[in-house]
Amino acid sequence: MTVGSSSVLVAGGTGYIGSFTTLALLEAGYKVVIIDSLYNSNEEVLNRIELLSGKRPLFYKGDITDEAALDKVFSENPDIDNVIHFAALKAVGESAEIPLEYYRVNVEGSIKLMRSMKKHNVTNIVFSSSATVYGDATRVPNMIPIPEHCPIGPTNTYGRTKSTVEAIITDFIEAERNNAAKKGEDGSKWNGALLRYFNPAGAHPSGIMGENPLGVPYNLLPLLAQVAVGKREKLMVFGDDYKSKDGTAIRDYIHVLDLAKGHLVALNYLRENAPGVKAWNLGSGRGSTVFDMIKAFSTSVGRDLPYQVVARRQGDVLDLTANPSLANKELQWKTELTLEDACEDLWRWTKNNPEGYLQQPPKEFVDK
Ligand code: NAD
Ligand code: WQD
């Protein structure tokens, strides 16, 4: 794949997955422009990306719900020919409390992004979807591990914003292809990837880049990390009465470095194969229970971490394990790192940066 002078707009590029994908893109030779409102991230991550890659993405502080801001970024950077779209609100519980805000940012923001892409003739979009679009896959026989053809059926507002945007991208790309054909033009330059991630985890092995959620985390591993550094007394385990080997729920944890690579190969696939819109699962295919994760992270930390079993969390499902064979085959991508790697890397990041990006990177990096 020749990258040439190709440039990628990464919307939400200072966030957790966006920052790792930016690093992967820069390392692969792409130029990167980021737009991010910093709603859930910190500009310090740009320094960390530069420390690791020797390159700095161009950064615009801006909101994807502001179409004029998007137009400005595209106008000032005419070499952008691809978009990777991470910018969203992502807390499942909160989405039930303020659904209109979730639809405004996640759906309306995505529409504005696509409208601005169209105006500036930017024709490839890679979208952060989520395994949450499948909902409870056990409702359909033989759908665990979950393949892409599993019927979608999100069980929460956040998940419905994701499945809605998937549908909008699908309609948008198809329409642009048809519009081009009607004019006798080649519409195959319009392409979209819907990447359904399972449970992202881990940090950079250097220990200087990782997840830095502002506010209270709600995902399992960041919560366990808080227990390990004493910010939280114990982990609450949401239910031990599921039909799994130990009664706790099963998820497919994927190292964020593998996930970032998944974006790179999906973008390259769109550019090389012009497939229209395709959905791919990005997961490992390995299911782990909550107790497996407590054990794995405790091993990295070097001591047992306290927990207490409480009632199930509303909306949780038994099993979200990916069948990643489509991405394995078509993208020639598979996870290379394990959840044990993710635990090791998360612990290194947490130990080095208990306050996340609010503190300076370790001296040995600055002095390099
Ligand atoms: P994150 O919150 O770390 O990153 C999202 C970024 O988008 C943040 O930097 C935030 O400041 C920015 N942002 C939010 N609203 C914005 C707006 N209106 N305009 C511009 N920027 C805005 O989250 P993440 O974990 O990196 O997730 C990235 C994407 O992947 C999201 O779309 C999320 O829904 C999706 N996803 C995440 C997970 C997960 O568990 N982390 C799983 C599946 C899918
Ligand atoms: C993992 C497991 C919990 C916290 C969510 C979103 C999904 C995606 C990833 C964005 C579950 C259990 C958790 C705790 C626990 N995000 N748990 N105690 O719910 O699989 O997925 O994040 O797209 O859309 O729904 O991830 O990390 O919250 O939970 O026992 O304090 O850990 O019940 O089984 P989840 P999670």
PDB file of all heavy atoms in Angstrom, residues 90 92 129-132 156 158 162 198-200 218-221 223 235-239 242 249-251 253 290 313 316-317 320, ligand 2:
ATOM      1  N   LYS A  90     -19.613   7.982  25.089  1.00  0.00           N
ATOM      2  CA  LYS A  90     -19.545   6.517  25.070  1.00  0.00           C
ATOM      3  C   LYS A  90     -19.961   5.825  26.367  1.00  0.00           C
ATOM      4  O   LYS A  90     -19.689   4.637  26.524  1.00  0.00           O
ATOM      5  CB  LYS A  90     -18.135   6.079  24.693  1.00  0.00           C
ATOM      6  CG  LYS A  90     -17.067   6.546  25.672  1.00  0.00           C
ATOM      7  CD  LYS A  90     -15.786   5.764  25.534  1.00  0.00           C
ATOM      8  CE  LYS A  90     -14.812   6.116  26.624  1.00  0.00           C
ATOM      9  NZ  LYS A  90     -13.637   5.290  26.658  1.00  0.00           N
ATOM     10  N   VAL A  92     -22.460   4.023  28.535  1.00  0.00           N
ATOM     11  CA  VAL A  92     -23.751   3.353  28.343  1.00  0.00           C
ATOM     12  C   VAL A  92     -24.798   3.849  29.355  1.00  0.00           C
ATOM     13  O   VAL A  92     -25.925   4.185  28.980  1.00  0.00           O
ATOM     14  CB  VAL A  92     -23.565   1.820  28.461  1.00  0.00           C
ATOM     15  CG1 VAL A  92     -24.902   1.104  28.459  1.00  0.00           C
ATOM     16  CG2 VAL A  92     -22.679   1.315  27.331  1.00  0.00           C
ATOM     17  N   SER A 129     -17.512   1.671  15.447  1.00  0.00           N
ATOM     18  CA  SER A 129     -18.758   1.119  15.956  1.00  0.00           C
ATOM     19  C   SER A 129     -18.412   0.284  17.182  1.00  0.00           C
ATOM     20  O   SER A 129     -17.345   0.474  17.785  1.00  0.00           O
ATOM     21  CB  SER A 129     -19.469   0.312  14.866  1.00  0.00           C
ATOM     22  OG  SER A 129     -20.748  -0.062  15.320  1.00  0.00           O
ATOM     23  N   SER A 130     -19.279  -0.615  17.557  1.00  0.00           N
ATOM     24  CA  SER A 130     -19.065  -1.318  18.824  1.00  0.00           C
ATOM     25  C   SER A 130     -19.777  -2.653  18.798  1.00  0.00           C
ATOM     26  O   SER A 130     -20.837  -2.802  18.168  1.00  0.00           O
ATOM     27  CB  SER A 130     -19.649  -0.456  19.948  1.00  0.00           C
ATOM     28  OG  SER A 130     -19.676  -1.170  21.155  1.00  0.00           O
ATOM     29  N   ALA A 131     -19.225  -3.625  19.519  1.00  0.00           N
ATOM     30  CA  ALA A 131     -19.892  -4.917  19.667  1.00  0.00           C
ATOM     31  C   ALA A 131     -21.250  -4.758  20.338  1.00  0.00           C
ATOM     32  O   ALA A 131     -22.107  -5.638  20.249  1.00  0.00           O
ATOM     33  CB  ALA A 131     -19.015  -5.846  20.507  1.00  0.00           C
ATOM     34  N   THR A 132     -21.436  -3.628  20.969  1.00  0.00           N
ATOM     35  CA  THR A 132     -22.702  -3.368  21.660  1.00  0.00           C
ATOM     36  C   THR A 132     -23.876  -3.344  20.670  1.00  0.00           C
ATOM     37  O   THR A 132     -25.027  -3.546  21.071  1.00  0.00           O
ATOM     38  CB  THR A 132     -22.551  -2.054  22.476  1.00  0.00           C
ATOM     39  OG1 THR A 132     -23.228  -2.189  23.685  1.00  0.00           O
ATOM     40  CG2 THR A 132     -23.015  -0.851  21.765  1.00  0.00           C
ATOM     41  N   ASN A 156     -29.237  -0.642  24.420  1.00  0.00           N
ATOM     42  CA  ASN A 156     -29.128   0.633  25.156  1.00  0.00           C
ATOM     43  C   ASN A 156     -29.007   1.795  24.169  1.00  0.00           C
ATOM     44  O   ASN A 156     -28.745   1.598  22.981  1.00  0.00           O
ATOM     45  CB  ASN A 156     -27.933   0.595  26.128  1.00  0.00           C
ATOM     46  CG  ASN A 156     -26.624   0.283  25.409  1.00  0.00           C
ATOM     47  OD1 ASN A 156     -26.172   1.059  24.577  1.00  0.00           O
ATOM     48  ND2 ASN A 156     -26.047  -0.872  25.712  1.00  0.00           N
ATOM     49  N   TYR A 158     -26.826   4.258  23.856  1.00  0.00           N
ATOM     50  CA  TYR A 158     -25.496   4.398  23.234  1.00  0.00           C
ATOM     51  C   TYR A 158     -25.376   3.471  22.027  1.00  0.00           C
ATOM     52  O   TYR A 158     -24.959   3.883  20.942  1.00  0.00           O
ATOM     53  CB  TYR A 158     -24.409   4.098  24.276  1.00  0.00           C
ATOM     54  CG  TYR A 158     -23.058   3.844  23.677  1.00  0.00           C
ATOM     55  CD1 TYR A 158     -22.286   4.889  23.170  1.00  0.00           C
ATOM     56  CD2 TYR A 158     -22.553   2.546  23.586  1.00  0.00           C
ATOM     57  CE1 TYR A 158     -21.045   4.639  22.601  1.00  0.00           C
ATOM     58  CE2 TYR A 158     -21.312   2.291  23.025  1.00  0.00           C
ATOM     59  CZ  TYR A 158     -20.569   3.347  22.532  1.00  0.00           C
ATOM     60  OH  TYR A 158     -19.339   3.091  21.953  1.00  0.00           O
ATOM     61  N   LYS A 162     -24.916   4.059  17.787  1.00  0.00           N
ATOM     62  CA  LYS A 162     -23.900   3.423  16.922  1.00  0.00           C
ATOM     63  C   LYS A 162     -24.566   2.716  15.733  1.00  0.00           C
ATOM     64  O   LYS A 162     -24.108   2.850  14.597  1.00  0.00           O
ATOM     65  CB  LYS A 162     -23.065   2.420  17.732  1.00  0.00           C
ATOM     66  CG  LYS A 162     -22.132   3.074  18.732  1.00  0.00           C
ATOM     67  CD  LYS A 162     -20.988   3.812  18.043  1.00  0.00           C
ATOM     68  CE  LYS A 162     -20.141   4.608  18.995  1.00  0.00           C
ATOM     69  NZ  LYS A 162     -19.162   5.470  18.347  1.00  0.00           N
ATOM     70  N   PHE A 198     -14.679  -5.010  20.186  1.00  0.00           N
ATOM     71  CA  PHE A 198     -15.115  -5.689  21.397  1.00  0.00           C
ATOM     72  C   PHE A 198     -14.555  -4.882  22.587  1.00  0.00           C
ATOM     73  O   PHE A 198     -14.765  -3.677  22.617  1.00  0.00           O
ATOM     74  CB  PHE A 198     -14.790  -7.189  21.302  1.00  0.00           C
ATOM     75  CG  PHE A 198     -15.811  -7.827  20.359  1.00  0.00           C
ATOM     76  CD1 PHE A 198     -15.820  -7.520  18.991  1.00  0.00           C
ATOM     77  CD2 PHE A 198     -16.829  -8.621  20.843  1.00  0.00           C
ATOM     78  CE1 PHE A 198     -16.809  -8.010  18.138  1.00  0.00           C
ATOM     79  CE2 PHE A 198     -17.810  -9.129  20.006  1.00  0.00           C
ATOM     80  CZ  PHE A 198     -17.805  -8.818  18.654  1.00  0.00           C
ATOM     81  N   ASN A 199     -13.896  -5.443  23.560  1.00  0.00           N
ATOM     82  CA  ASN A 199     -13.537  -4.624  24.729  1.00  0.00           C
ATOM     83  C   ASN A 199     -12.065  -4.177  24.682  1.00  0.00           C
ATOM     84  O   ASN A 199     -11.173  -4.953  25.009  1.00  0.00           O
ATOM     85  CB  ASN A 199     -13.807  -5.407  26.022  1.00  0.00           C
ATOM     86  CG  ASN A 199     -15.298  -5.520  26.300  1.00  0.00           C
ATOM     87  OD1 ASN A 199     -16.051  -6.010  25.467  1.00  0.00           O
ATOM     88  ND2 ASN A 199     -15.725  -5.054  27.445  1.00  0.00           N
ATOM     89  N   PRO A 200     -11.818  -2.910  24.293  1.00  0.00           N
ATOM     90  CA  PRO A 200     -10.450  -2.423  24.192  1.00  0.00           C
ATOM     91  C   PRO A 200      -9.785  -2.374  25.571  1.00  0.00           C
ATOM     92  O   PRO A 200     -10.428  -2.037  26.568  1.00  0.00           O
ATOM     93  CB  PRO A 200     -10.606  -1.009  23.641  1.00  0.00           C
ATOM     94  CG  PRO A 200     -12.007  -0.930  23.127  1.00  0.00           C
ATOM     95  CD  PRO A 200     -12.806  -1.881  23.924  1.00  0.00           C
ATOM     96  N   TYR A 218     -15.896   3.585  34.061  1.00  0.00           N
ATOM     97  CA  TYR A 218     -16.925   2.568  34.332  1.00  0.00           C
ATOM     98  C   TYR A 218     -16.558   1.227  33.716  1.00  0.00           C
ATOM     99  O   TYR A 218     -17.234   0.243  33.933  1.00  0.00           O
ATOM    100  CB  TYR A 218     -18.310   3.025  33.835  1.00  0.00           C
ATOM    101  CG  TYR A 218     -18.384   3.135  32.337  1.00  0.00           C
ATOM    102  CD1 TYR A 218     -18.808   2.061  31.555  1.00  0.00           C
ATOM    103  CD2 TYR A 218     -18.005   4.295  31.693  1.00  0.00           C
ATOM    104  CE1 TYR A 218     -18.835   2.148  30.165  1.00  0.00           C
ATOM    105  CE2 TYR A 218     -18.020   4.389  30.316  1.00  0.00           C
ATOM    106  CZ  TYR A 218     -18.444   3.319  29.569  1.00  0.00           C
ATOM    107  OH  TYR A 218     -18.454   3.404  28.203  1.00  0.00           O
ATOM    108  N   ASN A 219     -15.438   1.178  32.979  1.00  0.00           N
ATOM    109  CA  ASN A 219     -15.022  -0.097  32.377  1.00  0.00           C
ATOM    110  C   ASN A 219     -14.201  -0.905  33.379  1.00  0.00           C
ATOM    111  O   ASN A 219     -13.523  -0.352  34.242  1.00  0.00           O
ATOM    112  CB  ASN A 219     -14.197   0.145  31.106  1.00  0.00           C
ATOM    113  CG  ASN A 219     -15.066   0.583  29.946  1.00  0.00           C
ATOM    114  OD1 ASN A 219     -14.859   1.650  29.391  1.00  0.00           O
ATOM    115  ND2 ASN A 219     -16.047  -0.220  29.586  1.00  0.00           N
ATOM    116  N   LEU A 220     -14.251  -2.207  33.197  1.00  0.00           N
ATOM    117  CA  LEU A 220     -13.665  -3.127  34.169  1.00  0.00           C
ATOM    118  C   LEU A 220     -12.181  -2.854  34.455  1.00  0.00           C
ATOM    119  O   LEU A 220     -11.785  -2.697  35.621  1.00  0.00           O
ATOM    120  CB  LEU A 220     -13.861  -4.569  33.658  1.00  0.00           C
ATOM    121  CG  LEU A 220     -13.275  -5.667  34.534  1.00  0.00           C
ATOM    122  CD1 LEU A 220     -13.918  -5.688  35.898  1.00  0.00           C
ATOM    123  CD2 LEU A 220     -13.450  -7.033  33.856  1.00  0.00           C
ATOM    124  N   LEU A 221     -11.356  -2.802  33.414  1.00  0.00           N
ATOM    125  CA  LEU A 221      -9.912  -2.711  33.682  1.00  0.00           C
ATOM    126  C   LEU A 221      -9.495  -1.368  34.287  1.00  0.00           C
ATOM    127  O   LEU A 221      -8.721  -1.355  35.248  1.00  0.00           O
ATOM    128  CB  LEU A 221      -9.114  -3.055  32.426  1.00  0.00           C
ATOM    129  CG  LEU A 221      -8.930  -4.564  32.237  1.00  0.00           C
ATOM    130  CD1 LEU A 221      -8.263  -4.867  30.907  1.00  0.00           C
ATOM    131  CD2 LEU A 221      -8.107  -5.192  33.366  1.00  0.00           C
ATOM    132  N   LEU A 223     -11.222   0.396  36.226  1.00  0.00           N
ATOM    133  CA  LEU A 223     -11.674   0.330  37.624  1.00  0.00           C
ATOM    134  C   LEU A 223     -10.726  -0.543  38.452  1.00  0.00           C
ATOM    135  O   LEU A 223     -10.346  -0.187  39.569  1.00  0.00           O
ATOM    136  CB  LEU A 223     -13.106  -0.212  37.708  1.00  0.00           C
ATOM    137  CG  LEU A 223     -14.178   0.780  37.246  1.00  0.00           C
ATOM    138  CD1 LEU A 223     -15.515   0.083  37.025  1.00  0.00           C
ATOM    139  CD2 LEU A 223     -14.354   1.905  38.258  1.00  0.00           C
ATOM    140  N   LEU A 235     -13.224  -3.880  43.840  1.00  0.00           N
ATOM    141  CA  LEU A 235     -14.014  -3.952  42.612  1.00  0.00           C
ATOM    142  C   LEU A 235     -15.352  -4.601  42.917  1.00  0.00           C
ATOM    143  O   LEU A 235     -15.409  -5.615  43.614  1.00  0.00           O
ATOM    144  CB  LEU A 235     -13.301  -4.792  41.553  1.00  0.00           C
ATOM    145  CG  LEU A 235     -14.111  -4.827  40.252  1.00  0.00           C
ATOM    146  CD1 LEU A 235     -13.758  -3.659  39.367  1.00  0.00           C
ATOM    147  CD2 LEU A 235     -13.948  -6.137  39.516  1.00  0.00           C
ATOM    148  N   MET A 236     -16.409  -4.003  42.406  1.00  0.00           N
ATOM    149  CA  MET A 236     -17.730  -4.631  42.508  1.00  0.00           C
ATOM    150  C   MET A 236     -17.905  -5.538  41.287  1.00  0.00           C
ATOM    151  O   MET A 236     -17.834  -5.057  40.148  1.00  0.00           O
ATOM    152  CB  MET A 236     -18.837  -3.564  42.497  1.00  0.00           C
ATOM    153  CG  MET A 236     -18.744  -2.594  43.660  1.00  0.00           C
ATOM    154  SD  MET A 236     -18.849  -3.476  45.214  1.00  0.00           S
ATOM    155  CE  MET A 236     -18.671  -2.142  46.370  1.00  0.00           C
ATOM    156  N   VAL A 237     -18.103  -6.806  41.517  1.00  0.00           N
ATOM    157  CA  VAL A 237     -18.310  -7.752  40.407  1.00  0.00           C
ATOM    158  C   VAL A 237     -19.815  -7.843  40.153  1.00  0.00           C
ATOM    159  O   VAL A 237     -20.580  -8.241  41.041  1.00  0.00           O
ATOM    160  CB  VAL A 237     -17.734  -9.141  40.756  1.00  0.00           C
ATOM    161  CG1 VAL A 237     -18.068 -10.159  39.669  1.00  0.00           C
ATOM    162  CG2 VAL A 237     -16.230  -9.046  40.962  1.00  0.00           C
ATOM    163  N   PHE A 238     -20.210  -7.476  38.940  1.00  0.00           N
ATOM    164  CA  PHE A 238     -21.644  -7.392  38.631  1.00  0.00           C
ATOM    165  C   PHE A 238     -22.213  -8.755  38.258  1.00  0.00           C
ATOM    166  O   PHE A 238     -22.404  -9.057  37.089  1.00  0.00           O
ATOM    167  CB  PHE A 238     -21.894  -6.387  37.510  1.00  0.00           C
ATOM    168  CG  PHE A 238     -21.502  -4.972  37.853  1.00  0.00           C
ATOM    169  CD1 PHE A 238     -20.899  -4.145  36.899  1.00  0.00           C
ATOM    170  CD2 PHE A 238     -21.728  -4.446  39.118  1.00  0.00           C
ATOM    171  CE1 PHE A 238     -20.545  -2.838  37.206  1.00  0.00           C
ATOM    172  CE2 PHE A 238     -21.369  -3.133  39.430  1.00  0.00           C
ATOM    173  CZ  PHE A 238     -20.774  -2.335  38.472  1.00  0.00           C
ATOM    174  N   GLY A 239     -22.502  -9.561  39.269  1.00  0.00           N
ATOM    175  CA  GLY A 239     -23.216 -10.826  39.052  1.00  0.00           C
ATOM    176  C   GLY A 239     -22.290 -12.021  38.918  1.00  0.00           C
ATOM    177  O   GLY A 239     -21.315 -11.977  38.160  1.00  0.00           O
ATOM    178  N   TYR A 242     -24.277 -15.893  36.061  1.00  0.00           N
ATOM    179  CA  TYR A 242     -24.403 -16.106  34.607  1.00  0.00           C
ATOM    180  C   TYR A 242     -24.048 -17.556  34.285  1.00  0.00           C
ATOM    181  O   TYR A 242     -23.340 -18.217  35.064  1.00  0.00           O
ATOM    182  CB  TYR A 242     -23.440 -15.180  33.848  1.00  0.00           C
ATOM    183  CG  TYR A 242     -23.845 -13.730  33.824  1.00  0.00           C
ATOM    184  CD1 TYR A 242     -23.295 -12.812  34.723  1.00  0.00           C
ATOM    185  CD2 TYR A 242     -24.768 -13.266  32.899  1.00  0.00           C
ATOM    186  CE1 TYR A 242     -23.657 -11.467  34.692  1.00  0.00           C
ATOM    187  CE2 TYR A 242     -25.130 -11.928  32.860  1.00  0.00           C
ATOM    188  CZ  TYR A 242     -24.574 -11.032  33.761  1.00  0.00           C
ATOM    189  OH  TYR A 242     -24.937  -9.714  33.713  1.00  0.00           O
ATOM    190  N   ALA A 249     -19.667 -12.725  33.765  1.00  0.00           N
ATOM    191  CA  ALA A 249     -19.943 -12.513  32.335  1.00  0.00           C
ATOM    192  C   ALA A 249     -18.656 -12.563  31.496  1.00  0.00           C
ATOM    193  O   ALA A 249     -17.558 -12.285  31.984  1.00  0.00           O
ATOM    194  CB  ALA A 249     -20.632 -11.166  32.152  1.00  0.00           C
ATOM    195  N   ILE A 250     -18.856 -12.913  30.232  1.00  0.00           N
ATOM    196  CA  ILE A 250     -17.720 -13.168  29.328  1.00  0.00           C
ATOM    197  C   ILE A 250     -17.584 -12.027  28.313  1.00  0.00           C
ATOM    198  O   ILE A 250     -18.563 -11.614  27.695  1.00  0.00           O
ATOM    199  CB  ILE A 250     -17.959 -14.492  28.566  1.00  0.00           C
ATOM    200  CG1 ILE A 250     -18.164 -15.641  29.569  1.00  0.00           C
ATOM    201  CG2 ILE A 250     -16.806 -14.798  27.618  1.00  0.00           C
ATOM    202  CD1 ILE A 250     -18.814 -16.874  28.941  1.00  0.00           C
ATOM    203  N   ARG A 251     -16.358 -11.543  28.149  1.00  0.00           N
ATOM    204  CA  ARG A 251     -16.072 -10.514  27.155  1.00  0.00           C
ATOM    205  C   ARG A 251     -14.800 -10.880  26.391  1.00  0.00           C
ATOM    206  O   ARG A 251     -14.007 -11.689  26.845  1.00  0.00           O
ATOM    207  CB  ARG A 251     -15.847  -9.142  27.832  1.00  0.00           C
ATOM    208  CG  ARG A 251     -17.066  -8.599  28.574  1.00  0.00           C
ATOM    209  CD  ARG A 251     -18.162  -8.166  27.617  1.00  0.00           C
ATOM    210  NE  ARG A 251     -19.322  -7.625  28.316  1.00  0.00           N
ATOM    211  CZ  ARG A 251     -20.348  -8.351  28.753  1.00  0.00           C
ATOM    212  NH1 ARG A 251     -20.368  -9.667  28.566  1.00  0.00           N
ATOM    213  NH2 ARG A 251     -21.366  -7.779  29.366  1.00  0.00           N
ATOM    214  N   TYR A 253     -11.505  -9.239  25.314  1.00  0.00           N
ATOM    215  CA  TYR A 253     -10.643  -8.085  25.561  1.00  0.00           C
ATOM    216  C   TYR A 253      -9.570  -8.017  24.476  1.00  0.00           C
ATOM    217  O   TYR A 253      -8.893  -9.003  24.203  1.00  0.00           O
ATOM    218  CB  TYR A 253     -10.030  -8.169  26.963  1.00  0.00           C
ATOM    219  CG  TYR A 253     -11.118  -8.098  28.023  1.00  0.00           C
ATOM    220  CD1 TYR A 253     -11.766  -9.248  28.463  1.00  0.00           C
ATOM    221  CD2 TYR A 253     -11.548  -6.868  28.536  1.00  0.00           C
ATOM    222  CE1 TYR A 253     -12.801  -9.191  29.399  1.00  0.00           C
ATOM    223  CE2 TYR A 253     -12.579  -6.801  29.469  1.00  0.00           C
ATOM    224  CZ  TYR A 253     -13.192  -7.965  29.892  1.00  0.00           C
ATOM    225  OH  TYR A 253     -14.221  -7.898  30.808  1.00  0.00           O
ATOM    226  N   VAL A 290     -15.118 -12.142  34.114  1.00  0.00           N
ATOM    227  CA  VAL A 290     -14.665 -11.078  35.017  1.00  0.00           C
ATOM    228  C   VAL A 290     -13.633 -11.653  35.997  1.00  0.00           C
ATOM    229  O   VAL A 290     -12.595 -11.016  36.260  1.00  0.00           O
ATOM    230  CB  VAL A 290     -15.861 -10.467  35.793  1.00  0.00           C
ATOM    231  CG1 VAL A 290     -15.382  -9.394  36.765  1.00  0.00           C
ATOM    232  CG2 VAL A 290     -16.881  -9.874  34.821  1.00  0.00           C
ATOM    233  N   ARG A 313     -25.388  -5.847  36.606  1.00  0.00           N
ATOM    234  CA  ARG A 313     -25.621  -4.478  36.143  1.00  0.00           C
ATOM    235  C   ARG A 313     -26.695  -4.530  35.063  1.00  0.00           C
ATOM    236  O   ARG A 313     -26.625  -5.365  34.156  1.00  0.00           O
ATOM    237  CB  ARG A 313     -24.308  -3.914  35.586  1.00  0.00           C
ATOM    238  CG  ARG A 313     -24.370  -2.468  35.151  1.00  0.00           C
ATOM    239  CD  ARG A 313     -22.986  -1.933  34.819  1.00  0.00           C
ATOM    240  NE  ARG A 313     -22.366  -2.623  33.680  1.00  0.00           N
ATOM    241  CZ  ARG A 313     -21.156  -2.332  33.211  1.00  0.00           C
ATOM    242  NH1 ARG A 313     -20.429  -1.380  33.767  1.00  0.00           N
ATOM    243  NH2 ARG A 313     -20.659  -2.992  32.182  1.00  0.00           N
ATOM    244  N   ASP A 316     -26.428  -5.579  31.060  1.00  0.00           N
ATOM    245  CA  ASP A 316     -25.287  -6.441  30.745  1.00  0.00           C
ATOM    246  C   ASP A 316     -25.764  -7.747  30.123  1.00  0.00           C
ATOM    247  O   ASP A 316     -26.842  -8.248  30.458  1.00  0.00           O
ATOM    248  CB  ASP A 316     -24.474  -6.760  32.006  1.00  0.00           C
ATOM    249  CG  ASP A 316     -23.428  -5.698  32.301  1.00  0.00           C
ATOM    250  OD1 ASP A 316     -23.249  -4.792  31.467  1.00  0.00           O
ATOM    251  OD2 ASP A 316     -22.800  -5.772  33.369  1.00  0.00           O
ATOM    252  N   VAL A 317     -24.948  -8.304  29.247  1.00  0.00           N
ATOM    253  CA  VAL A 317     -25.297  -9.585  28.629  1.00  0.00           C
ATOM    254  C   VAL A 317     -24.258 -10.633  29.034  1.00  0.00           C
ATOM    255  O   VAL A 317     -23.169 -10.289  29.499  1.00  0.00           O
ATOM    256  CB  VAL A 317     -25.392  -9.471  27.087  1.00  0.00           C
ATOM    257  CG1 VAL A 317     -26.476  -8.477  26.691  1.00  0.00           C
ATOM    258  CG2 VAL A 317     -24.057  -9.073  26.461  1.00  0.00           C
ATOM    259  N   LEU A 320     -20.086 -11.574  25.085  1.00  0.00           N
ATOM    260  CA  LEU A 320     -19.765 -10.821  23.866  1.00  0.00           C
ATOM    261  C   LEU A 320     -18.355 -11.243  23.453  1.00  0.00           C
ATOM    262  O   LEU A 320     -17.368 -10.635  23.844  1.00  0.00           O
ATOM    263  CB  LEU A 320     -19.789  -9.315  24.132  1.00  0.00           C
ATOM    264  CG  LEU A 320     -21.137  -8.590  24.118  1.00  0.00           C
ATOM    265  CD1 LEU A 320     -20.982  -7.133  24.554  1.00  0.00           C
ATOM    266  CD2 LEU A 320     -21.781  -8.637  22.725  1.00  0.00           C
TER     267      LEU A 320
HETATM  268  C1  WQD B   2     -16.909  -5.705  31.261  1.00  0.00           C
HETATM  269  C2  WQD B   2     -17.427  -6.783  32.194  1.00  0.00           C
HETATM  270  C3  WQD B   2     -19.326  -6.098  33.497  1.00  0.00           C
HETATM  271  C4  WQD B   2     -17.319  -3.022  35.794  1.00  0.00           C
HETATM  272  C5  WQD B   2     -18.860  -1.501  27.489  1.00  0.00           C
HETATM  273  C6  WQD B   2     -19.840  -0.982  26.491  1.00  0.00           C
HETATM  274  C7  WQD B   2     -19.415  -1.371  25.114  1.00  0.00           C
HETATM  275  C8  WQD B   2     -17.989  -0.944  24.847  1.00  0.00           C
HETATM  276  C9  WQD B   2     -17.073  -1.443  25.901  1.00  0.00           C
HETATM  277  C10 WQD B   2     -18.085   1.260  23.906  1.00  0.00           C
HETATM  278  C11 WQD B   2     -18.953  -6.853  32.224  1.00  0.00           C
HETATM  279  C12 WQD B   2     -18.113  -6.377  34.378  1.00  0.00           C
HETATM  280  C13 WQD B   2     -17.564  -4.048  34.903  1.00  0.00           C
HETATM  281  C14 WQD B   2     -17.357  -3.302  37.183  1.00  0.00           C
HETATM  282  C15 WQD B   2     -17.892  -5.594  36.693  1.00  0.00           C
HETATM  283  N1  WQD B   2     -17.848   0.474  24.855  1.00  0.00           N
HETATM  284  N2  WQD B   2     -17.853  -5.296  35.350  1.00  0.00           N
HETATM  285  N3  WQD B   2     -17.643  -4.586  37.583  1.00  0.00           N
HETATM  286  O1  WQD B   2     -20.052  -3.532  29.494  1.00  0.00           O
HETATM  287  O2  WQD B   2     -18.651  -5.208  28.206  1.00  0.00           O
HETATM  288  O3  WQD B   2     -18.862  -2.924  27.393  1.00  0.00           O
HETATM  289  O4  WQD B   2     -17.556  -1.021  27.185  1.00  0.00           O
HETATM  290  O5  WQD B   2     -18.510   0.993  22.819  1.00  0.00           O
HETATM  291  O6  WQD B   2     -20.274  -0.742  24.249  1.00  0.00           O
HETATM  292  O7  WQD B   2     -21.104  -1.536  26.755  1.00  0.00           O
HETATM  293  O8  WQD B   2     -17.523  -3.320  29.370  1.00  0.00           O
HETATM  294  O9  WQD B   2     -15.728  -2.876  30.957  1.00  0.00           O
HETATM  295  O10 WQD B   2     -18.040  -2.035  31.480  1.00  0.00           O
HETATM  296  O11 WQD B   2     -17.597  -4.472  31.567  1.00  0.00           O
HETATM  297  O12 WQD B   2     -18.148  -6.710  37.117  1.00  0.00           O
HETATM  298  O13 WQD B   2     -17.166  -2.434  38.037  1.00  0.00           O
HETATM  299  O14 WQD B   2     -17.020  -6.436  33.523  1.00  0.00           O
HETATM  300  O15 WQD B   2     -20.490  -6.568  34.100  1.00  0.00           O
HETATM  301  O16 WQD B   2     -19.283  -8.193  32.342  1.00  0.00           O
HETATM  302  P1  WQD B   2     -18.882  -3.820  28.662  1.00  0.00           P
HETATM  303  P2  WQD B   2     -17.189  -3.084  30.879  1.00  0.00           P
END
